[in-house]
Amino acid sequence: MTRIALITGATSGIGEQFARQLAESQTCDELWLVGRNSARLDVLKAELLPQRTVAVCADLCTTDGMMCIEAMLKEREPVISLLINSAGLGYREPVSGQSIGEISDTLNTNCNALTLMCRMCLPYMDSGSGMINIASSAGFIPQPGFAVYAASKSYVISFSQALAAELKDRRIKVTCVCPGPVTTAFQYKATKGKTEGFTGIRAKTSKTPGEVARISLKASSKGRRLVSVGFSQKLLRLAAKILPHQWIISMIK
Ligand SMILES: NC(=O)c1ccc[n+]([C@@H]2O[C@H](COP(=O)([O-])OP(=O)(O)OC[C@H]3O[C@@H](n4cnc5c(N)ncnc54)[C@H](OP(=O)(O)O)[C@@H]3O)[C@@H](O)[C@H]2O)c1
């Protein structure tokens, strides 16, 4: 029985770092890397473990993309040791400034695809398998100017914690990871190329994608359910718990 780790968002940022670290640790027979950028997938496959890496070119926003992954699972029947849902996006713009397509892509990738991936992979998991869902600290508080993204990540936090409780008896661990700013292409895409990276407090508290992947893998191996990455994000989570959200929102605005 082939044991695999399946990673969405593997072509870039945090997902790519998961792929690199798992390839190095050789804990699985195969790595399945999912992304839309086929050229990037091919480069990674060649760089990592060519014989043991499966490149899955799929757009998670489309039914075709999801069906492609489902068909591969049905055909090969692997045991999924680890599912990592890292694919995600968001636009730093008021709701009125975002197109219907942008909002739809955000919700489809961050919420719909993540949920369907978890459901689709469950029949292939056994006792000891794990899921890592990448949410965000943005999911702890409503965020004007980043409303759709923050709400989508609240969904991931809520869904992951409920799923963890549902799967406890099957001994399948679900770990939801909430990073703050991470130095990837995310910010550039979120601002449509207006800013390259983070500034001010965000730059000071930012983590590298490698750090996030390492912390997440460790948390998953310990069976942790909700992880805030870094001290500043732990503080933010605490503040979101004890302070009135209206007050925090007026500070953000
Ligand atoms: N960077 C941050 O500051 C930060 C902070 C907190 C949370 N996060 C979360 O961390 C996760 C990873 O983000 P990142 O920072 O690594 O950003 P990134 O470098 O932009 O990576 C995003 C990944 O998502 C994939 N993706 C996007 N839409 C997709 C679709 N429709 N179908 C398939 N794959 C798709 C991209 O692959 P293709 O382009 O190949 O499709 C890419 O591999 C996201 O869920 C993000 O919300 C990021």
Side-chain angles (χ1 to χ4, degrees):
M1 201 62 97
T2 309
R3 299 195 73 90
I4 70 163
L6 196 165
I7 307 168
T8 74
T11 54
S12 167
I14 300 170
E16 180 182 334
Q17 289 302 317
F18 274 119
R20 291 188 182 282
Q21 290 178 24
L22 287 170
E24 208 175 291
S25 69
Q26 304 209 356
T27 41
C28 297
D29 301 322
E30 280 181 4
L31 281 180
W32 288 25
L33 310 183
V34 181
R36 288 169 302 185
N37 186 336
S38 59
R40 190 74 205 124
L41 283 173
D42 289 343
V43 169
L44 272 173
K45 184 177 154 83
E47 247 186 69
L48 300 177
L49 309 162
Q51 284 85 26
R52 298 205 280 132
T53 303
V54 178
V56 187
C57 189
D59 183 342
L60 297 171
C61 285
T62 65
T63 310
D64 278 358
M66 297 306 288
M67 280 170 63
C68 160
I69 301 169
E70 191 177 32
M72 283 187 71
L73 289 171
K74 276 191 179 144
E75 189 196 316
R76 303 197 186 192
E77 295 195 328
V79 173
I80 302 177
S81 292
L82 191 56
L83 164 67
I84 300 175
N85 282 302
S86 188
L89 73 152
Y91 295 98
R92 286 192 187 276
E93 207 161 18
V95 176
S96 58
Q98 292 187 39
S99 70
I100 300 297
E102 286 165 351
I103 293 175
S104 174
D105 280 356
T106 304
L107 297 177
N108 273 337
T109 311
N110 297 4
C111 305
N112 213 33
L114 178 139
T115 309
L116 296 179
M117 284 302 300
C118 292
R119 172 63 186 89
M120 210 188 274
C121 290
L122 265 179
Y124 301 92
M125 293 188 151
D126 63 10
S127 163
S129 292
M131 296 181 186
I132 297 177
N133 290 336
I134 304 296
S136 168
S137 291
F140 291 132
I141 337 154
Q143 294 204 7
F146 212 15
V148 178
Y149 178 76
S152 76
K153 293 301 185 177
S154 291
Y155 173 90
V156 176
I157 294 168
S158 167
F159 171 73
S160 302
Q161 290 186 100
L163 188 64
E166 284 186 12
L167 298 178
K168 185 173 172 248
D169 291 345
R170 282 182 61 185
R171 294 178 188 276
I172 295 173
K173 299 168 283 186
V174 181
T175 301
C176 181
V177 179
C178 299
V182 188
T183 51
T184 66
F186 178 87
Q187 173 74 354
Y188 182 79
K189 295 178 196 168
T191 59
K192 297 182 187 165
K194 283 188 202 117
T195 54
E196 194 76 43
F198 298 102
T199 52
I201 182 81
R202 285 206 186 108
K204 286 202 179 89
T205 57
S206 66
K207 298 279 177 201
T208 65
E211 284 175 300
V212 177
R214 203 164 23 256
I215 290 166
S216 305
L217 289 170
K218 196 170 169 195
S220 169
S221 71
K222 287 182 174 170
R224 289 186 59 196
R225 290 191 181 180
L226 189 61
V227 185
S228 295
V229 180
F231 180 68
S232 57
Q233 304 313 310
K234 287 183 177 50
L235 266 186
L236 187 70
R237 183 169 145 205
L238 181 67
K241 259 190 198 163
I242 59 177
L243 297 174
H245 279 195
Q246 284 312 321
W247 190 78
I248 305 178
I249 289 168
S250 64
M251 300 263 294
I252 297 171
K253 241 182 141 191

